[in-house]
Amino acid sequence: MTDPAPAPWYGRTHWRILAALVVGLVYGVVAALAGWSEFTADWITPWGTIFLRLLLLIAVPLVLGSLITGVASLADLRRLSRIGSRTIAIYLATTFVALVIGLALVNSIQPGASIPEDVRTRLQEQYESDVEDRQATAAEVAERSPLQPLVDMVPDNALFAATRNREMLSVVFLAFLLGVALLRLPRAQAQPLLDLFSSLNASIIKIVEMILVVAPVGVFALIAGTITTVSGDDPANVAQIIGALGLYSLTVLAGLLLHAGVTYPTLLALFTRIGPVTFFRGISQAQLVAFSTSSSAATLPVTMRAAERNLGVSEEVASFVLPLGATINMDGTAVYMAVAAVFIAQTLGIPLDFAAQATIVFTALLASIGTAAVPSAGLVMLIIVLEAIGVPSEGLALILGVDRLLDMCRTATNVTGDAAVAAAITAGERSAPPGGPAGAAGGAGGGA
Ligand code: ASP
């Protein structure tokens, strides 16, 4: 489970990434103080963008390759439906718990009650135009028929589907369909495509290893760029925003910590023998990449690698459960949606009764599933939750200032949840009746 022969600390990628993250934070603050935002935007941020693009570049081939081989390797449709239904049930259950945690915290802490009138007006004015953009996007989403998400999931053009990171669910669908078809074909006929996709898979994993070598540079640049963008050339901006939105941010963070620190270890204790320390150490590299990229899709290759190497997640489970999780399982986003929706209502003085809170649970559950695994996607979907409970979506302006920073934290929680569920499913499969994956233990190899 753990690294049998750990490399020296300076050689371990996650330490180097962590160091890069800290240096990026320090640089961001210094740059804001020294007025280097233009220099940073011209010369530092592009390296972060390149890193993010490299990761996104391999997201679609990885989902295709791993899901197709993953589904096809499940040997029969019964196992596929068993693993599939368990995975979806646990994903839904953990997201439900995340929403309940978010609602419990925001209702007891009441972060919106303490926002003074003038701060509220200023925040709303400052982000007015941004909100209009998001509203337009959300309006398009909301105007569609209730079954539209299902329609969107089925692409009408395979090549086109494979070109859109935002619509990963249609890639998942395509891969799933092809995987099932290969499963049902005579072996000899299926083999050429299986070989092709498993070789694609292996190449992508090699690319991930290469990208991880330069990850510290990318992480440094992403963090430095984010801090300078948020603060402009005036660190006082950050201080002001944090002052006004501190309690709200802390409520979201507390929810994320509680969910990651209690729900996942409980899940692991119920299904696996993995202790919290092993789990969090094993998944830390993926959390760091999620934190710096704010994208579960971009982090997927790293999550898969960490889950297989450090948590003993079997390859067949990882290649099925993790791409699906990166697309539909967003527990961090769910916590955030619950807290943000109630916070905005509190700030605007709109009371929410039990029925409204139940509506939040229902819509946020669906909205988190529909959230694309890319930066800020949760913010757009939050508008749908606000509309459902009759809170004006202009209220979004109140939280925009800290959203990017919270996005980093919720994305880290999102990928943690995917890994925890993958570990639980692997353990369940090991103890499954015959037909199960005899010794399909993932390699307990060295953590990077
Ligand atoms: N950025 C998040 C993710 O990729 C989604 C969100 O905006 O909440 O997981």
Side-chain angles (χ1 to χ4, degrees), residues 105 137 213 233 276 326:
L105 285 176
T137 319
V213 175
D233 264 340

Side-chain angles (χ1 to χ4, degrees), residues 229-407:
T229 318
V230 172
S231 65
D233 264 340
D234 184 5
N237 284 343
V238 180
Q240 247 181 18
I241 293 174
I242 291 182
L245 297 176
L247 198 54
Y248 156 70
S249 307
L250 284 179
T251 311
V252 175
L253 291 179
L256 296 178
L257 281 177
L258 203 63
H259 192 58
V262 178
T263 313
Y264 299 143
T266 309
L267 179 75
L268 291 170
L270 285 176
F271 291 97
T272 76
R273 292 209 203 113
I274 303 174
V277 176
T278 311
F279 176 71
F280 286 108
R281 262 181 46 191
I283 199 67
S284 61
Q285 194 178 61
Q287 289 174 322
L288 290 171
V289 172
F291 185 79
S292 19
T293 59
S294 287
S295 167
S296 307
T299 314
L300 178 62
V302 186
T303 318
M304 290 181 72
R305 186 173 186 267
E308 282 179 38
R309 289 190 172 209
N310 306 336
L311 303 178
V313 171
S314 67
E315 197 187 329
E316 60 168 2
V317 169
S319 55
F320 175 71
V321 174
L322 291 172
L324 192 66
T327 316
I328 67 164
N329 183 45
M330 307 248 174
D331 294 355
T333 304
V335 169
Y336 149 80
M337 282 178 173
V339 175
V342 178
F343 168 75
I344 294 172
Q346 286 169 353
T347 314
L348 301 179
I350 302 169
L352 295 177
D353 57 9
F354 182 79
Q357 310 245 1
T359 308
I360 295 181
V361 173
F362 182 67
T363 44
L365 190 70
L366 295 179
S368 72
I369 292 173
T371 301
V374 294
S376 295
L379 187 66
V380 175
M381 299 306 273
L382 175 62
I383 299 183
I384 294 171
V385 180
L386 292 176
E387 298 285 335
I389 51 170
V391 171
S393 49
E394 287 75 14
L396 207 66
L398 296 167
I399 57 162
L400 267 180
V402 283
D403 203 70
R404 182 59 211 252
L405 300 175
L406 293 180
D407 192 5

Side-chain angles (χ1 to χ4, degrees), residues 128-140:
E128 214 163 11
S129 60
D130 279 353
V131 173
E132 278 164 18
D133 288 351
R134 316 272 179 187
Q135 277 173 326
T137 319
E140 277 170 29

